[in-house]
């Protein structure tokens, strides 16, 4: 769980494990804050990047050294038009330009909304290790309740793919194709991403305790016009946590006969029909907290599908 006042946890997850160094990383986000993106190479370089209060440390020499070392080792994809410019534009932001690519979803009516990272590490013993992060938080300093699933694994010594990993490999292989035609992904970066997509199909992941690796699957929606849903009709009960709701989706779970426990934002719950809410086993929301003066100064205007505070986690 990523708490509103925990800005450090996500960047900690980007740091290489002990005895490893970063080889390459690919990240995706809907919206991107350039100052947040500048913290990414500091994590890779194992530099201290935060002040005692958790705010980012803006040491220009450390930033310059981290960007110099790692600007060719990571690529970030974000929704076109969703890059947030800082009020004061640090000159070092220019070093990020080769690392960031705006993309458009294959479906012209869709948007690019994943928050996923794949990181390839080279261990001192020669083993290739991967880390996968599946988040609900964008690469910003928003003050929201969010979640992250973090998986570590090793590249298996095999020529054939692991069937459950195919959607994961397909997802990363498609990313360069979504880049805006006005600024395509350079050939060298495309080759690195293609190599990672191929290897991700052959990684054996360590799943959290209590999960059966024979039953775990990856799901990638929006590729090739496919509508992919991991849900079937054999649901006894379910917990739905989401900052956005539509009546038809909530009803689709209720119609399976499942006992539905629903958690969302108050303003979203108010938009659902009373009959839908009454049919839920429980309905909850996180009590909104008024922002402090400093947080209020940092708030910016956002679109209707963005949340900067409160509940932002999405899980079933």
């Amino acid at each position: 769980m990523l708490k509103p006042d925990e800005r450090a946890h996500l960047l900690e997850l980007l740091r290489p494990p002990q005895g490893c160094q970063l080889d390459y990383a690919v990240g995706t986000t809907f919206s991107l804050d350039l100052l947040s993106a500048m913290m990414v190479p500091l994590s890779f370089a194992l530099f201290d990047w935060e002040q005692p209060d958790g705010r980012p440390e803006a040491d220009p020499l450390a930033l310059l050294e981290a960007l110099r070392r790692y600007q060719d080792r990571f690529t970030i994809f974000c929704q076109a038009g969703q890059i947030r410019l800082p009020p004061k534009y640090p000159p070092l932001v220019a070093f990020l330009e080769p690392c960031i690519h705006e993309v458009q979803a294959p479906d012209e009516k869709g948007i690019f909304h994943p928050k996923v990272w794949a990181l390839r590490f080279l261990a001192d013993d020669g083993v290739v290790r991967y880390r996968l992060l599946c988040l609900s938080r964008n690469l910003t300093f928003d003050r929201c309740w969010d979640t992250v699933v973090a998986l570590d694994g090793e590249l298996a010594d095999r020529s054939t793919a692991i069937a459950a990993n195919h959607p994961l490999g397909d997802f990363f292989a498609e990313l360069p194709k979504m880049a805006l035609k006005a600024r395509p992904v350079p050939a060298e970066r495309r080759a690195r991403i293609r190599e990672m997509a191929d290897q991700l199909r052959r990684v054996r992941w360590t799943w959290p305790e209590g999960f059966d690796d024979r039953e775990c699957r990856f799901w990638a929606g929006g590729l090739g016009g496919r509508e992919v849903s991991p849900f079937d009709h054999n649901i006894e009960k379910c917990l739905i946590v989401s900052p956005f709701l539509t009546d038809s989706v909530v009803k689709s779970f209720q119609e399976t006969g499942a006992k539905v426990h629903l958690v969302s934002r108050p303003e979203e719950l108010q938009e659902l029909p009373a009959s839908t809410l009454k049919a839920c086993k429980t309905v909850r929301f996180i009590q909104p907290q008024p922002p402090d003066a400093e947080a209020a100064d940092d708030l910016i205007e956002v679109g209707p599908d963005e949340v900067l505070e409160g509940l932002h986690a999405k899980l079933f």
Side-chain angles (χ1 to χ4, degrees):
M1 180 175 63
L2 301 176
K3 298 180 181 179
D5 57 351
E6 270 186 354
R7 303 183 181 191
H9 190 54
L10 168 58
L11 296 179
E12 289 286 352
L13 290 170
L14 297 176
R15 291 193 171 192
Q18 187 173 4
C20 297
Q21 61 177 336
L22 178 79
D23 180 62
Y24 206 80
V26 180
T28 67
T29 180
F30 171 69
S31 54
L32 182 145
D33 181 291
L34 288 177
L35 291 181
S36 298
M38 290 180 70
M39 300 300 106
V40 170
L42 287 176
S43 296
F44 298 154
L46 298 176
F47 288 165
D48 291 330
W49 46 260
E50 62 175 331
Q51 301 175 20
D53 63 358
R55 295 180 64 81
E57 178 67 62
D59 181 345
L61 291 179
L63 280 170
L64 178 60
E65 175 62 14
L67 287 165
R68 184 189 67 80
R69 283 195 211 174
Y70 289 96
Q71 69 175 169
D72 294 329
R73 295 200 221 171
F74 74 98
T75 302
I76 300 174
F77 296 92
C78 69
Q79 169 68 32
Q82 291 296 327
I83 295 178
R84 300 177 185 172
L85 302 178
K88 296 180 181 179
Y89 200 85
L92 287 176
V93 167
F95 283 85
L96 287 173
E97 184 176 356
C99 313
I100 298 173
H101 283 273
E102 294 182 280
V103 302
Q104 187 64 53
D107 184 344
E108 61 181 14
K109 296 181 180 180
I111 59 173
F112 183 79
H113 208 253
K115 295 98 175 171
V116 181
W117 281 85
L119 303 102
R120 184 179 190 265
F121 302 112
L122 299 181
D124 295 341
D125 58 6
V127 174
V128 176
R129 304 180 188 276
Y130 271 88
R131 176 172 296 159
L132 182 72
L133 306 178
C134 186
L135 307 116
S136 61
R137 177 171 293 179
N138 291 298
L139 190 53
T140 65
F141 286 114
D142 300 341
R143 296 171 173 83
C144 297
W145 291 92
D146 277 292
T147 57
V148 57
V149 174
L151 299 176
D152 287 294
E154 292 186 3
L155 180 63
D157 184 15
R158 53 185 287 168
S159 59
T160 57
I162 298 172
N165 291 1
H166 272 307
L168 185 63
D170 292 345
F171 171 75
F172 281 95
E174 288 292 318
L175 292 176
K177 303 175 186 178
M178 302 183 203
L180 299 183
K181 293 182 179 180
R183 188 167 173 270
V185 180
E188 184 176 346
R189 289 181 184 266
R190 289 202 310 270
R192 295 301 303 271
I193 296 170
R194 184 167 57 249
E195 178 187 29
M196 286 185 64
D198 177 65
Q199 290 188 348
L200 284 168
R201 304 176 196 274
R202 294 180 284 122
V203 173
R204 292 198 181 279
W205 301 102
T206 300
W207 295 92
E209 184 178 355
F211 285 81
D212 185 347
D213 60 357
R214 296 168 298 180
E215 299 295 331
C216 292
R217 299 288 184 273
F218 293 101
W219 300 84
L223 299 181
R226 302 191 302 268
E227 291 187 6
V228 180
S229 173
F231 305 111
D232 58 28
H233 296 289
N234 299 317
I235 303 174
E236 295 181 4
K237 58 182 177 180
C238 62
L239 168 67
I240 302 174
V241 181
S242 176
F244 309 110
L245 300 171
T246 59
D247 185 46
S248 60
V249 173
V250 177
K251 281 184 175 178
S252 69
F253 282 89
Q254 295 173 340
E255 289 169 355
T256 66
K259 297 178 181 178
V260 176
H261 301 265
L262 185 61
V263 181
S264 187
R265 296 183 296 144
E267 54 267 38
E268 288 290 309
L269 295 170
Q270 290 172 359
E271 294 297 318
L272 291 183
S275 58
T276 300
L277 294 176
K278 188 175 182 180
C280 292
K281 186 68 175 178
T282 62
V283 177
R284 309 277 189 207
F285 63 88
I286 295 178
Q287 182 67 37
Q289 297 292 326
D292 55 33
E294 182 181 348
D297 290 340
D298 291 342
L299 292 180
I300 60 175
E301 293 186 7
V302 297
D305 293 331
E306 282 199 85
V307 175
L308 290 182
E309 293 192 322
L311 180 70
H312 193 244
K314 308 162 187 73
L315 63 90
F316 295 85

